[in-house]
Amino acid sequence: MITWIQKTFQQHFRIIFLVLLAGVIISFIFITNTSGGFGRGDFKAAKRPFFGLDLGNEQDYSLVVRDGTVSATLMYGGRIGDAVQFSFGRRAMLHTADQLRVPRPTDAEVKAHIQGLPIFMGSMGETGAMPAFNAELYNTIRQNPSLLGVTCTPGDFGRIIAEDARIAATTKLLAGPGYVLPSEVQQILKQADTTWTLQTATIERASFKTTITPTESDLTAYFDSHRATYTIRPRVRVSYVEIPAALHAAGITLTDAEVRAYYDANPARFPKPAAAAPASMAAPTTPDSDYNLVKPQVELALRHQRALDAANKAASDLAYKLYTDKITPGSPEFGRTLIQNNATINAVPIDFSENDVPPQFGANRPGIAREAFSLDADNRISNAINTGNGSVILFWEASIPAREPDFAEVRAQVETDFIAQETQRQFTELGQRLKTQIQDALKTGSTFEQAATKAATDAGVTATTKTIPPFTLRTATAETIDGNIAAALENLAQGDLSDMGIVSGDGRFVYAQTCQLPDLTEANPDYTLFATQIATRNAMTAIGQYQQNLVDAELAKSAPATR
């Protein structure tokens, strides 16, 4: 039987082979045919319906995000946390406008919307007048929307603005007048318009004397509970070459046009000197006269910038040559290459972590750390790094991993930290005792100054008292009060004394000598103002949540099923 099969197979081998080959070819065609519905060729991105568009479609997704980015730039200067989320919310509000049949805005409504966009507002005038709409700026951006940093045609620009005007109308319709509780208005009025007269007492930390002698068990216990604090960070050992900008400064030539163009691009960097004559007598200034006053500084700055650029290019070229020619640091070829490029190898005397880059590397320590810690045995040569005075190239020598030191290795630092913490604890306890003594003295009729001074003297510390004239938080300036005092007021009423806070290391008490509340009724003109502001804020918060719910619900429709 087996012999018959072998003979038959040999006689018909060619036919059998062709049949098998045809079967393989046909199977391959079915599997790879992109139009037949089989195999990988039929793979498509999953559909993600989103208010009439498909986020799974690259063109639709790009449209949503591009429109949202332009809108955010016009309204907020692009300062939003999540551009994609903002874009999704914008699309949701357009869908809502369609559902509510909100009409397209008229030309007058679009014009009013444009004139209210912050991006088209000029700067505030010297008299404090509110900035006005800058028609020239608007026309410039309208004709070339790419100035916003987004690829956008003038036609798309006009459509987006019209849509935003319609969204604004829809938002106003949904938000309504908002809501506000009388207690909310009264709380804001209290915070803003209460008139305070305060007295403070500052306890000088330097005058607080204490002796702390920790035992070994105190220190070891402190070390055991703060081990993470003493972990020695990863460190790196490098050498480097520097290409100073000064080497390239002499060969730089500048034209007057280049210097002027540099000034025009960076006017804020070159403020004109203060006028010698009173402002009323000074001659009117022009852009040309302002430029002439600072031209030497502009030329010096531009020359330094050009020298920095030249040094960075030289360093980049050197790093590229070392890398592409596989020149190993320390080899004879490495030394010859450095000599040819007027570069000298320098040692860094210490290993360093990301947080303690040696000062010899100039101002760009984050850049040095980033490059140094990207190096290893397989990648020993860094990119060129601008230091502000030139450019450097780092050469890796060793990486030292993080480790937990033994107690003996960091005992001195542990003792210093323990004493500092214990001293602070005792200083805080002193503050609690002083507060009680001051309060008791106030109850017996002593003035705050008398009470604070006596309590401090009895405790052996120095106190400095001060009276702050009457003020309200709405009118107060940084010279009147600081943030610590403002925070203390939240828990004070007339006659109350705060806990001792720590300000620049010293202790400070705040005493509310007088506290006069404003009119908290609707007869106060500011009552209506604050009520309107709070109601608007509440309404916009509700709209924001409504918009987010719309987006979440729409995205959930196409979200992958969870098991």
Side-chain angles (χ1 to χ4, degrees), residues 268-535:
R269 289 184 54 188
F270 306 102
K272 64 181 180 179
S280 59
M281 298 173 58
T285 63
T286 66
D288 288 339
S289 64
D290 290 347
Y291 166 67
N292 289 330
L293 289 173
V294 297
K295 182 178 178 181
Q297 295 94 307
V298 179
E299 183 173 352
L300 184 64
L302 179 56
R303 187 177 299 279
H304 180 66
Q305 183 60 54
R306 292 282 178 86
L308 279 176
D309 293 343
N312 189 64
K313 183 179 185 307
S316 296
D317 292 344
L318 175 57
Y320 181 75
K321 177 176 178 58
L322 294 172
Y323 179 78
T324 55
D325 292 354
K326 295 181 172 59
I327 300 175
T328 305
S331 67
E333 181 63 21
F334 179 75
R336 287 193 294 270
T337 303
L338 294 187
I339 293 173
Q340 293 168 0
N341 287 270
N342 298 317
T344 304
I345 193 74
N346 299 283
V348 179
I350 59 172
D351 306 334
F352 59 89
S353 70
E354 290 183 287
N355 294 331
D356 60 1
V357 176
Q360 65 204 72
F361 287 117
N364 188 14
R365 297 185 190 181
I368 294 291
R370 186 166 51 251
E371 283 289 331
F373 280 86
S374 70
L375 303 178
D376 54 34
D378 297 323
N379 178 31
R380 299 185 60 184
I381 303 172
S382 78
N383 295 310
I385 311 163
N386 186 346
T387 64
N389 296 315
S391 286
V392 299
I393 306 169
L394 305 179
F395 303 102
W396 178 87
E397 294 185 2
S399 294
I400 300 91
R403 65 183 180 87
E404 288 191 4
D406 294 331
F407 169 71
E409 188 177 351
V410 292
R411 184 191 182 286
Q413 185 61 49
V414 171
E415 183 174 9
T416 299
D417 295 343
F418 178 87
I419 292 174
Q421 177 177 285
E422 184 63 16
T423 301
Q424 181 60 48
R425 185 187 67 79
Q426 292 186 15
F427 188 59
T428 301
E429 289 181 349
L430 170 67
Q432 294 170 348
R433 294 195 301 271
L434 290 176
K435 178 180 179 180
T436 300
Q437 294 171 15
I438 294 171
Q439 287 175 322
D440 290 343
L442 290 172
K443 292 176 183 177
T444 62
S446 296
T447 65
F448 175 75
E449 182 177 2
Q450 293 170 339
T453 301
K454 184 178 187 307
T457 301
D458 292 346
V461 294
T462 302
T464 303
T465 58
K466 175 184 176 182
T467 298
I468 300 175
F471 69 92
T472 68
L473 286 182
R474 196 188 327 200
T475 60
T477 64
E479 290 73 26
T480 306
I481 63 170
D482 57 34
N484 293 287
I485 291 179
L489 296 182
E490 295 182 6
N491 301 306
L492 294 182
Q494 182 165 310
D496 285 350
L497 178 65
S498 73
D499 292 333
M500 186 180 76
I502 304 299
V503 181
S504 300
D506 294 331
R508 185 171 67 185
F509 294 101
V510 179
Y511 174 61
Q513 184 177 16
T514 64
C515 170
Q516 183 178 352
L517 296 177
D519 181 2
L520 301 179
T521 69
E522 294 184 15
N524 184 339
D526 288 334
Y527 187 100
T528 301
L529 173 65
F530 282 129
T532 302
Q533 292 176 349
I534 297 171

Side-chain angles (χ1 to χ4, degrees), residues 76-383:
Y76 310 113
R79 295 185 295 272
I80 53 175
D82 188 335
V84 173
Q85 194 64 27
F86 177 87
S87 302
F88 286 177
R90 181 180 181 277
R91 182 67 192 177
M93 292 306 293
L94 281 175
H95 174 76
T96 301
D98 290 338
Q99 284 189 318
L100 297 178
R101 298 183 181 180
V102 176
R104 272 26 178 197
T106 64
D107 290 345
E109 290 170 335
V110 172
K111 181 179 179 180
H113 178 76
I114 293 171
Q115 292 178 342
L117 290 173
I119 195 173
F120 300 132
M121 295 295 180
S123 58
M124 184 172 289
E126 295 182 359
T127 61
M130 293 301 294
F133 174 69
N134 188 332
E136 182 179 357
L137 176 60
Y138 164 71
N139 285 321
T140 299
I141 295 178
R142 178 179 61 83
Q143 294 167 8
N144 186 12
S146 62
L147 293 172
L148 297 174
V150 182
T151 302
C152 179
T153 66
D156 287 331
F157 179 77
R159 172 182 58 78
I160 292 169
I161 285 184
E163 289 176 348
D164 285 348
R166 189 173 181 230
I167 290 173
T170 305
T171 299
K172 184 177 180 180
L173 176 65
L174 291 173
Y179 67 92
V180 61
L181 298 175
S183 59
E184 293 181 280
V185 182
Q186 292 167 359
Q187 182 63 28
I188 296 296
L189 283 171
K190 286 180 182 178
Q191 292 175 348
D193 292 336
T194 293
T195 301
W196 297 90
T197 302
L198 303 180
Q199 290 180 288
T200 63
T202 300
I203 310 300
E204 295 181 13
R205 173 67 177 270
S207 68
F208 174 64
K209 306 300 182 182
T210 184
T211 301
I212 299 172
T213 307
T215 64
E216 284 299 303
S217 60
D218 290 334
L219 296 181
T220 54
Y222 183 85
F223 174 72
D224 288 338
S225 60
H226 296 82
R227 280 184 177 274
T229 304
Y230 299 101
T231 298
I232 297 176
R233 295 172 176 270
R235 306 179 81 79
V236 66
R237 183 179 308 143
V238 299
S239 54
Y240 70 98
V241 298
E242 181 176 13
I243 309 295
L247 290 178
H248 299 269
I252 293 172
T253 57
L254 302 173
T255 66
D256 288 342
E258 289 173 330
V259 176
R260 179 56 190 264
Y262 189 71
Y263 170 78
D264 290 339
N266 304 278
R269 289 184 54 188
F270 306 102
K272 64 181 180 179
S280 59
M281 298 173 58
T285 63
T286 66
D288 288 339
S289 64
D290 290 347
Y291 166 67
N292 289 330
L293 289 173
V294 297
K295 182 178 178 181
Q297 295 94 307
V298 179
E299 183 173 352
L300 184 64
L302 179 56
R303 187 177 299 279
H304 180 66
Q305 183 60 54
R306 292 282 178 86
L308 279 176
D309 293 343
N312 189 64
K313 183 179 185 307
S316 296
D317 292 344
L318 175 57
Y320 181 75
K321 177 176 178 58
L322 294 172
Y323 179 78
T324 55
D325 292 354
K326 295 181 172 59
I327 300 175
T328 305
S331 67
E333 181 63 21
F334 179 75
R336 287 193 294 270
T337 303
L338 294 187
I339 293 173
Q340 293 168 0
N341 287 270
N342 298 317
T344 304
I345 193 74
N346 299 283
V348 179
I350 59 172
D351 306 334
F352 59 89
S353 70
E354 290 183 287
N355 294 331
D356 60 1
V357 176
Q360 65 204 72
F361 287 117
N364 188 14
R365 297 185 190 181
I368 294 291
R370 186 166 51 251
E371 283 289 331
F373 280 86
S374 70
L375 303 178
D376 54 34
D378 297 323
N379 178 31
R380 299 185 60 184
I381 303 172
S382 78
N383 295 310

Side-chain angles (χ1 to χ4, degrees), residues 33-45:
N33 183 13
T34 59
S35 61
F38 295 93
R40 296 180 62 187
D42 189 54
F43 174 79
K44 296 180 180 178

